[in-house]
């Protein structure tokens, strides 16, 4: 019995050894004739083979993210490759470059650039956001008449526009401001014109003017609203801003000049009437550049700082009145 078991075991071992040897021989033959590789399919269609799918896919991903030209934002690829592990005869070569070129040929390229718009209409195209910012900043520094209507828009399109340099865009967009005819008042032409309210009615309340104001001049506040002084008979109806004589005075807001001339303690005075019953007063001027009835724009030069009238030195006396009542200018400016 034991002998029979021994014989059967010996046969089994021989059979196992033969199977192992046969397996190694088969693997050797396969390894000699074939190599492991990846079949590449796009939309179910075989387009070739690659021995390194990671390297090929990384190259494809880099192309999708960055493209291969200037101003390319990304590339849209509808059908990405699929990979299937297979054994390829050693005589057959892989074709990674052909697969990559096929991916490129089927992709849609999107370009990124920047449009400079005027009144929401695209006027010029530049390559980078820095270029677009330089265009806007240069137009501001040159005081282009249209700078308030200039905006920037980032664009992503499948067709690249004709891009120009920042300097070319500035030259294309720049609009020179219309020259203002400044009328310098003289003694003979400086007669009072228009009407003016000089009442001492004041209010410390802050009310909504309904308009926005800018500073007529820059300087040092030397006398505040409602202050008392030996040189005036009632409380101060405005704000005094000291600065050098001849400094241009700008209109705090657009409106119509309703007084331009000499008015008692105000000296040479300009009054501009705005909307909502709001008026601004500019007193103690050395020269007046506007006349009653004239329409002025915000920021337009209307007069020059002086020390005319009841004044101890060159400064602007600024008042804000609503329906004749004076309100504190510092509630809105300075």
């Amino acid at each position: 019995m034991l002998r029979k078991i021994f014989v059967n075991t010996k046969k089994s071992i021989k059979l196992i050894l033969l199977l192992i040897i046969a397996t190694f021989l088969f693997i050797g033959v396969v390894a000699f004739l074939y190599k492991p590789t990846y079949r590449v399919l796009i939309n179910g269609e075989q387009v070739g083979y690659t021995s390194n799918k990671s390297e090929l896919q990384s190259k494809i991903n880099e192309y999708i993210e960055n493209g291969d030209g200037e101003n390319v934002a990304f590339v849209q690829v509808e059908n990405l490759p699929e990979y299937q592990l297979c054994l390829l005869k050693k005589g057959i070569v892989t074709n990674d470059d052909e697969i990559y070129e096929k991916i490129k040929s089927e992709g849609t390229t999107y370009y990124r650039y920047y449009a400079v718009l005027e009144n929401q209409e695209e006027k010029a195209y530049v390559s980078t956001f820095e270029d677009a910012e330089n265009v806007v900043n240069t137009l501001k520094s040159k005081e282009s008449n249209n700078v308030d209507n200039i905006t920037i828009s980032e664009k992503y399109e499948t067709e690249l526009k004709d891009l120009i340099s920042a300097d070319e865009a500035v030259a294309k967009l720049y609009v020179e401001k219309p020259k203002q005819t400044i009328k310098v008042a003289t003694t003979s032409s400086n007669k009072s014109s228009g009407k003016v309210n000089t009442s001492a009615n004041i209010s410390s309340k802050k009310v909504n003017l309904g308009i926005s104001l800018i500073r007529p001049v820059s300087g040092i506040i030397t006398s505040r609203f409602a202050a008392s002084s030996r040189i005036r008979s009632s409380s101060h109806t405005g704000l005094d801003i000291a600065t050098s004589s001849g400094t241009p005075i700008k209109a705090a807001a657009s409106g119509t000049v309703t007084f331009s001339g000499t008015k008692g303690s105000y000296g040479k005075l300009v009054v501009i009437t705005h909307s909502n019953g709001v008026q601004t007063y500019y007193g103690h001027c050395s020269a007046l550049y506007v006349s009653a009835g004239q329409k002025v724009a915000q920021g337009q030069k209307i007069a020059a700082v002086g020390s005319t009238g009841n004044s101890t030195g060159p400064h602007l006396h600024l008042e804000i009145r609503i329906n004749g009542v004076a309100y504190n200018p510092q509630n809105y400016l300075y």
Side-chain angles (χ1 to χ4, degrees):
M1 183 67 178
L2 290 173
R3 180 178 178 81
K4 188 177 181 180
I5 293 173
F6 176 76
V7 171
N8 290 334
T9 301
K10 190 175 181 180
K11 289 180 178 180
S12 297
I13 291 172
K14 286 181 179 180
L15 181 60
I16 292 171
L17 288 173
L18 287 172
L19 288 173
I20 291 173
I21 292 170
T23 301
F24 275 105
L25 287 173
F26 178 76
I27 292 173
V29 170
V30 171
F32 180 77
L33 297 176
Y34 296 89
K35 59 182 177 181
T37 186
Y38 293 91
R39 180 184 292 110
V40 182
L41 301 96
I42 297 178
N43 199 23
E45 177 187 351
Q46 182 174 317
V47 293
Y49 298 93
T50 179
S51 58
N52 191 332
K53 73 170 185 177
S54 297
E55 183 177 315
L56 176 59
Q57 190 60 49
S58 294
K59 187 176 180 181
I60 292 171
N61 291 342
E62 173 68 20
Y63 172 69
I64 290 172
E65 292 176 7
N66 301 306
D68 60 358
E70 293 184 2
N71 290 96
V72 175
F74 61 91
V75 178
Q76 184 177 10
V77 176
E78 295 292 340
N79 299 303
L80 291 174
E82 299 177 14
Y83 303 93
Q84 295 179 350
L85 183 62
C86 65
L87 294 174
L88 186 66
K89 286 185 178 181
K90 285 194 173 181
I92 301 176
V93 296
T94 56
N95 59 333
D96 295 46
D97 290 342
E98 291 180 11
I99 297 169
Y100 178 68
E101 290 300 324
K102 184 171 181 58
I103 291 290
K104 288 179 61 176
S105 67
E106 295 183 356
T108 302
T109 301
Y110 283 83
Y111 298 93
R112 176 175 55 228
Y113 57 94
Y114 295 84
V116 184
L117 302 85
E118 180 183 0
N119 292 319
Q120 302 305 311
E121 181 182 351
E122 296 177 6
K123 293 290 189 178
Y125 305 99
V126 294
S127 179
T128 66
F129 181 72
E130 289 74 15
D131 285 343
E133 275 194 320
N134 286 338
V135 172
V136 175
N137 292 334
T138 303
L139 290 173
K140 286 182 179 179
S141 67
K142 293 169 71 70
E143 296 185 345
S144 179
N145 196 48
N146 60 348
V147 70
D148 292 335
N149 300 319
I150 300 296
T151 55
I152 300 171
S153 176
E154 187 176 38
K155 308 292 289 184
Y156 289 88
E157 302 290 347
T158 56
E159 292 186 7
L160 186 61
K161 298 286 188 179
D162 291 331
L163 304 181
I164 60 178
S165 68
D167 290 340
E168 290 173 318
V170 169
K172 186 175 182 179
L173 288 162
Y174 176 73
V175 177
E176 185 177 3
K177 283 188 174 181
K179 294 181 180 180
Q180 297 177 357
T181 302
I182 299 176
K183 180 181 177 182
V184 179
T186 62
T187 302
S188 59
S189 62
N190 210 19
K191 297 179 180 179
S192 300
S193 57
K195 297 179 180 180
V196 60
N197 185 330
T198 59
S199 73
N201 293 333
I202 65 174
S203 173
S204 59
K205 294 181 180 179
K206 181 179 180 180
V207 297
N208 183 15
L209 300 180
I211 59 173
S212 61
L213 304 176
I214 63 170
R215 294 183 178 186
V217 296
S218 296
I220 299 172
I221 296 174
T222 54
S223 181
R224 299 186 184 275
F225 180 77
S228 298
S229 172
R230 61 180 177 79
I231 65 171
R232 64 177 71 93
S233 59
S234 59
S235 295
H236 198 204
T237 54
L239 188 71
D240 289 348
I241 304 102
T243 186
S244 56
S245 183
T247 298
I249 300 171
K250 300 177 181 179
S254 60
T256 302
V257 178
T258 50
F259 183 88
S260 179
T262 301
K263 189 68 174 179
S265 62
Y266 286 91
K268 292 181 180 179
L269 171 70
V270 172
V271 178
I272 300 176
T273 298
H274 314 283
S275 57
N276 305 322
V278 179
Q279 291 181 311
T280 49
Y281 288 44
Y282 310 83
H284 306 309
C285 303
S286 61
L288 308 177
Y289 301 150
V290 292
S291 56
Q294 181 178 340
K295 294 186 181 299
V296 294
Q298 187 178 55
Q300 180 177 333
K301 295 176 184 179
I302 57 171
V305 170
S307 186
T308 57
N310 191 4
S311 171
T312 58
H315 70 280
L316 168 65
H317 172 82
L318 174 66
E319 289 186 14
I320 297 176
R321 289 181 181 255
I322 304 176
N323 298 322
V325 178
Y327 288 80
N328 186 1
Q330 280 195 279
N331 284 333
Y332 312 98
L333 294 169
Y334 299 97

